[in-house]
Amino acid sequence: MTSSDEVLHRTDNGVSWITLNRPEAMNAVTWDQRERVIALLAEASADPAVRAVVITATGKGFCAGADLRGAPATAERVAGDVARMIRLGAQRLITAVLDCEKPVIAAVNGTAAGIGAHLALACDLVIAAEPARFIEVFVRRGLVPDGGGAYLLPRLVGPQKAKELMFFGDAVPAAEAERLGLVNKVVAAEALEDTAREWAERLAQGPTRAIAMTKQLVNASLDGDRATALAAEATAQEINMTTADANEGVASFVERRTPKYLGR
């Protein structure tokens, strides 16, 4: 299979649909798949016709983790190789989601384990099918979580719960994940795609640049102090007020009509 077969892609009504397509491997992500997803997220950021992104998968698994069998061959490992592999691999994938300039929805159809769980949690909104499960599987392999897990998870559930999930590696069912705040909404499996489409198309009709800057503000607020956050907020509002959508939003309010945003 080529990378385009393993990662299906289409754009529909302003939404870029990125679908992992190795159901026989529970969508364990290969080197080629990872690079394809990163490229598609970069394209979504740069394309004004794309105003939201959905990441989902075929089959029973969302992503069972990393499959390194497709990685390029390397020479004998030396000190620094593993850290470099993580920086250039798993961390680039997660960063591509966090830094995408369009809102990204994860439509989690099944098991999300290891880097698969972190791929979902890096998304701005997470919709999970009832059969979905989230597993911090690293401890089962004697490994430290990578792909931004120790960064993402405490920010969603707090440090103590994050440690519990990472220390034990127990599967978290979709309903429990929703209760913990890992998931925004749980739906029946047959309703997953329609719900993701409804949310994504709603986002695609919104003020795209304002949403992008809101995403940046929220993500940055978790790492900085109050003064930095407030300064960033003021700067973002200053920049956003130069957009056509901001002018449309204000004009529609004054004229008492529904705004029509164009993503510009």
Side-chain angles (χ1 to χ4, degrees):
M1 297 177 69
T2 66
S3 60
S4 59
D5 295 323
E6 293 182 345
V7 180
L8 306 178
H9 179 250
R10 73 182 193 275
T11 301
D12 185 24
N13 288 334
V15 180
S16 173
W17 289 80
I18 301 172
T19 304
L20 302 179
N21 187 39
R22 294 181 70 230
E24 72 285 354
M26 295 286 285
N27 291 302
V29 67
T30 66
W31 188 93
D32 285 340
Q33 280 182 300
R34 184 193 72 214
E35 295 304 305
R36 175 70 171 150
V37 171
I38 291 171
L40 289 171
L41 288 166
E43 290 172 14
S45 286
D47 187 351
V50 173
R51 298 172 65 186
V53 178
V54 175
I55 299 177
T56 190
T58 58
K60 296 182 178 180
F62 175 73
C63 177
D67 185 344
L68 301 180
R69 288 173 293 184
T74 57
E76 182 180 355
R77 181 185 299 166
V78 298
D81 282 353
V82 172
R84 188 180 309 106
M85 178 184 70
I86 296 302
R87 286 197 305 271
L88 299 179
Q91 290 179 355
R92 277 181 60 242
L93 176 61
I94 299 307
T95 300
V97 178
L98 293 171
D99 291 346
C100 182
E101 295 179 29
K102 309 298 165 65
V104 184
I105 296 173
V108 183
N109 53 301
T111 298
I115 187 64
H118 301 163
L119 175 61
L121 300 181
C123 293
D124 303 301
L125 300 170
V126 182
I127 305 169
E130 290 172 349
R133 303 183 305 159
F134 297 81
I135 311 173
E136 288 294 330
V137 75
F138 298 92
V139 72
R140 300 186 186 182
R141 312 285 186 259
L143 300 175
V144 172
D146 62 33
Y151 173 86
L152 295 167
L153 204 57
R155 286 163 169 75
L156 292 168
V157 300
Q160 288 182 308
K161 193 64 181 181
K163 290 172 189 174
E164 177 188 334
L165 298 178
M166 289 178 164
F167 289 177
F168 293 118
D170 293 334
V172 180
E176 176 69 2
E178 183 181 28
R179 187 187 70 80
L180 291 174
L182 296 174
V183 167
N184 294 91
K185 187 179 183 67
V186 177
V187 298
E190 59 271 19
L192 180 65
E193 183 175 344
D194 286 345
T195 305
R197 179 181 295 105
E198 178 186 349
W199 280 28
E201 291 185 357
R202 183 176 174 188
L203 289 169
Q205 294 169 11
T208 307
R209 298 313 306 163
I211 291 172
M213 283 185 274
T214 301
K215 171 177 177 172
Q216 292 170 359
L217 285 173
V218 173
N219 288 349
S221 74
L222 300 172
D223 301 319
D225 56 40
R226 181 179 65 184
T228 301
L230 293 180
E233 174 186 272
T235 300
Q237 193 69 288
E238 174 77 23
I239 295 169
N240 187 65
M241 286 305 296
T242 67
T243 66
D245 280 348
N247 290 326
E248 166 66 6
V250 173
S252 66
F253 175 77
V254 172
E255 297 165 12
R256 298 185 179 182
R257 59 177 173 80
T258 301
K260 184 176 181 180
Y261 295 120
L262 301 177
R264 300 175 185 274

